Amino acid sequence: MASGDNAGGAMRLLLVEDDEMIAETVLESMRREGYAIDWAQDGRAAELSLGNGVYDLVLLDLGLPGKDGVDLLSGYRRQGGAAPVIILTARDAVNDRVRGLDAGADDYLIKPFDLDELAARARALLRRRTGQKQPVYTHGKLSLDPAAHEVTKDSVLIALVPREFALLQALIEEPARVFTRAELEDKLYGWGEEVGSNTIEVHVHSLRRKIGADQIATVRGVGYRLKRLG
């Protein structure tokens, strides 16, 4: 369902995996971690998805129908694709790992892998990437640090769940903009992920309870924005 530029909002991942059982397990796990994650089941579909340039991290199987994972990765890097890539594969021979790393992979996990370890490696790569380019955002008494994944108000740390953090990040990056519900869904969820009709409203309500009801304004018939300052 989501498309376009992913500035702000949840980190967007692409899983490239032809095994449906493995894919469903990884999708569920990474969504619990707060990521928006899309799924491509073969090399050709992945090639098209990567052409959109919206991904912060790629989880890539090597043994794919349509186009081999190493060839896919090599082409992605040649075309300037810069997102970190973690290879997930049953190929455990050293030369397979070397080929993947030489093609441009940043990390490697052999199947079967631990989901907590996958999440930890993803966080490490994303911290490294976001730490290089993302500033700390402030709006009035609110402050959001994407690299540290921290929000404070009046210098007091506020505990947010991943979706709340992603929602606030989207709003604080463009504080004067009014976001529609559909735009916020695009920033918080992956393509094809089930989103309830009132999901965004629930997240907004929960976020208001934590940062202050007056911090998020409702623009009737349109959507939400941060409150105006001054």
Side-chain angles (χ1 to χ4, degrees), residues 62-143:
L62 292 185
L64 296 168
K67 188 166 189 174
D68 181 76
V70 170
D71 293 337
L72 175 69
L73 176 55
S74 296
Y76 175 62
R77 293 300 191 216
R78 280 197 306 271
Q79 292 164 16
V85 175
I86 301 177
I87 287 179
L88 311 174
T89 185
R91 300 180 187 175
D92 58 355
V94 172
N95 64 322
D96 285 321
R97 277 178 274 178
V98 170
R99 282 183 66 227
L101 293 169
D102 282 347
D106 297 88
D107 204 350
Y108 212 108
L109 274 176
I110 301 296
K111 298 175 181 176
F113 48 83
D114 182 82
L115 291 169
D116 289 337
E117 183 179 3
L118 173 61
R121 293 192 184 206
R123 284 194 299 271
L125 285 173
L126 288 167
R127 272 199 308 270
R128 192 184 310 164
R129 186 174 191 233
T130 58
Q132 294 171 349
K133 67 176 186 178
Q134 287 191 292
V136 174
Y137 298 94
T138 58
H139 187 76
K141 298 177 179 179
L142 286 173
S143 177

Side-chain angles (χ1 to χ4, degrees), residues 1-10 12 36 166-167 170-171 174 177-190 195 200 222-225:
M1 49 156 278
S3 61
D5 184 7
N6 190 40
R12 185 168 295 279
L167 173 60
L171 294 172
E174 298 183 77
R177 177 179 169 187
V178 179
F179 287 89
T180 66
R181 186 177 73 185
E183 287 172 331
L184 292 172
E185 287 176 354
D186 278 351
K187 289 181 177 293
L188 270 64
Y189 293 91
V195 182
I200 294 300
V222 185
Y224 303 97
R225 62 164 173 77

